[in-house]
């Protein structure tokens, strides 16, 4: 998966995941992004710095609290995500995980996954679009 995303989108799997998470939330505190990605705060700082240099992410600080830093996607970041990294990610997942499964297996997996997510209050229609 990593190789496909790097070849197609020019970013790492972790960078794609950061773009995706920020896009899903509109903006994220650096601490929230650190938790979501399971990366140390200093690791997230370095990651966001790389994405800022590419013009894909911007940092925002509210004037009333300069200690707070949000990561937000730029228009270029949104384009990269939509046009290259997200399709490459979906194709990789399909190839790596879904290809060995029958249509019935995929249907069962979707049903079971949704049931588990709903049971834990994690189902999100926006994130887990249905067919």
């Amino acid at each position: 998966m990593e190789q496909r995303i790097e070849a197609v989108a020019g970013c790492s799997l972790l960078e794609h995941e950061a773009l995706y998470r920020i896009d899903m939330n509109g903006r994220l505190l650096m601490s929230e992004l650190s938790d979501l990605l399971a990366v140390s705060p200093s690791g997230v700082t370095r990651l966001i710095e790389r994405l800022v240099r590419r013009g894909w992410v911007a940092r925002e600080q509210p004037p009333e609290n300069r200690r707070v830093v949000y990561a937000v996607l730029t228009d270029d970041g949104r384009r990269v995500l939509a046009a290259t990294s997200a399709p490459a990610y979906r194709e990789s997942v399909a190839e790596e995980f879904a290809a060995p499964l029958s249509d019935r297996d995929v249907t069962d997996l979707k049903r079971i996954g949704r049931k588990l997510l709903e049971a834990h209050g994690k189902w999100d229609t926006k994130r887990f679009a249905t067919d």
Side-chain angles (χ1 to χ4, degrees):
M1 290 178 64
E2 178 91 24
Q3 291 172 343
R4 176 178 283 186
I5 291 171
E6 284 181 3
V8 172
C11 66
S12 70
L13 183 57
L14 184 61
E15 290 167 340
H16 160 75
E17 181 71 13
L19 295 173
Y20 174 79
R21 296 289 186 156
I22 295 165
D23 186 52
M24 289 301 299
N25 290 282
R27 67 180 186 171
L28 281 172
L29 289 168
M30 299 293 276
S31 59
E32 293 171 328
L33 191 55
S34 175
D35 290 342
L36 287 169
L37 298 176
V39 174
S40 70
S42 62
V44 164
T45 299
R46 289 189 301 274
L47 170 67
I48 293 302
E49 181 56 37
R50 288 193 305 271
L51 297 174
V52 166
R53 280 195 305 266
R54 290 184 184 153
W56 297 349
V57 170
R59 289 187 189 92
E60 287 184 356
Q61 290 181 294
E64 68 277 1
N65 187 351
R66 303 298 290 172
R67 292 175 297 175
V68 173
V69 178
Y70 289 98
V72 296
L73 285 189
T74 63
D75 289 341
D76 282 345
R78 231 173 256 99
R79 276 192 290 280
V80 165
L81 181 64
T84 59
S85 75
Y89 179 81
R90 284 190 299 274
E91 289 169 13
S92 293
V93 168
E95 187 176 290
E96 294 291 325
F97 299 103
L101 303 175
S102 69
D103 289 344
R104 172 67 188 209
D105 292 337
V106 171
T107 299
D108 289 344
L109 187 58
K110 286 179 180 180
R111 179 184 52 77
I112 292 166
R114 181 175 183 154
K115 193 175 210 176
L116 288 169
L117 289 167
E118 286 175 341
H120 294 280
K122 299 294 184 182
W123 179 259
D124 179 355
T125 302
K126 180 180 174 190
R127 181 171 180 205
F128 304 110
T130 58
D131 294 332

